[in-house]
Amino acid sequence: MNYVIIQQIIEILGTFAFAISGIRHAAAKHFDWFGGYVCGIAVAIGGGTIRDVMLGTTPFWMTNPFYMICTAIALIFVIVFARHLERLHNTWFVFDALGLALFNIAGIQKSLVFGQPYWVAIIMGCITGAAGGVIRDVLLNNEPVIFHREIYAMAAILGGITYWILDVLYVPIEITVISSFLVTCFMRFLAVRYHLSLPILKNE
């Protein structure tokens, strides 16, 4: 499959997953439909916008209206299936984890296309995956999820390292992408399930 097509698919899936996550958070705060859409947009394009500005290119959503449309579709999806989603525990968490993994890969791939070294690409992947959630949480007046005890941004970094190792070993791009995705999701799910975290800073 063409490299560019893979990246586009990843960005579309990531946008939809993150948008649903943001809208679900807004619903928990009893925001109206417009407020939910704004939160969905913030988490869906926030990280990618910061990445593109740092890479010196036009933010991805300004070149294609599909991302705005995708968020609108996510809003309709949440409105129509609200009762079904409510029955699923931690639905927002699942979509957030999927979005983190997908956008992490998109950030890595775009950085590599722009000729950045792998260590920069991994950082950009983390920013792409995590920064949108920070913007969302600020809008919702919540503690940013990256500051929670359970591993979040580190899961993206581990996924990025996995991508790096497999790509250096000339593993096919499809397997590299899937492996990076699974590592990020698995680490995030594992961290929440068993409350895994880095050591806590102490002010004594």
Side-chain angles (χ1 to χ4, degrees):
M1 187 180 295
N2 186 275
Y3 188 88
V4 175
I5 294 177
I6 292 176
Q7 182 174 352
Q8 290 177 341
I9 292 173
I10 289 171
E11 287 192 349
I12 291 170
L13 293 175
T15 299
F16 189 71
F18 258 168
I20 289 178
S21 169
I23 294 165
R24 287 284 296 152
H25 276 279
K29 289 280 188 174
H30 304 292
F31 281 25
D32 63 14
W33 288 7
F34 180 75
Y37 183 79
V38 170
C39 286
I41 284 289
V43 69
I45 71 173
T49 299
I50 295 174
R51 173 204 64 207
D52 288 347
V53 170
M54 294 177 72
L55 290 175
T57 186
T58 303
F60 68 104
W61 58 270
M62 295 177 67
T63 62
N64 190 339
F66 180 81
Y67 299 97
M68 297 297 179
I69 297 172
C70 184
T71 303
I73 294 173
L75 176 65
I76 294 172
F77 178 84
V78 172
I79 292 171
V80 173
F81 297 102
R83 292 184 179 180
H84 300 285
L85 293 175
E86 191 65 32
R87 295 170 187 168
L88 301 176
H89 297 294
N90 296 324
T91 302
W92 66 266
F93 161 71
V94 173
F95 282 108
D96 189 72
L98 295 177
L100 174 66
L102 291 166
F103 267 25
N104 181 48
I105 296 169
I108 292 170
Q109 290 184 328
K110 190 162 189 176
S111 299
L112 293 175
V113 168
F114 274 76
Q116 297 297 328
Y118 265 108
W119 67 271
V120 173
I122 291 172
I123 294 173
M124 288 297 183
C126 184
I127 290 174
T128 307
V134 174
I135 297 172
R136 173 202 64 205
D137 291 337
V138 170
L139 290 175
L140 293 173
N141 198 29
N142 291 333
E143 179 186 14
V145 68
I146 65 170
F147 300 142
H148 288 185
R149 293 189 60 186
E150 290 87 1
I151 291 172
Y152 188 80
M154 282 301 301
I157 292 174
L158 291 173
I161 293 173
T162 300
Y163 190 105
W164 179 9
I165 293 172
L166 295 180
D167 196 41
V168 168
L169 295 175
Y170 299 103
V171 174
I173 183 63
E174 294 85 357
I175 297 176
T176 298
V177 166
I178 292 172
S179 299
S180 177
F181 172 82
L182 292 176
V183 167
T184 303
C185 287
F186 178 73
M187 286 305 302
R188 183 64 183 135
F189 293 148
L190 199 65
V192 172
R193 175 65 178 83
Y194 295 103
H195 303 289
L196 301 179
S197 64
L198 297 175
I200 304 300
L201 285 173
K202 295 182 180 179
N203 182 21
E204 296 180 351

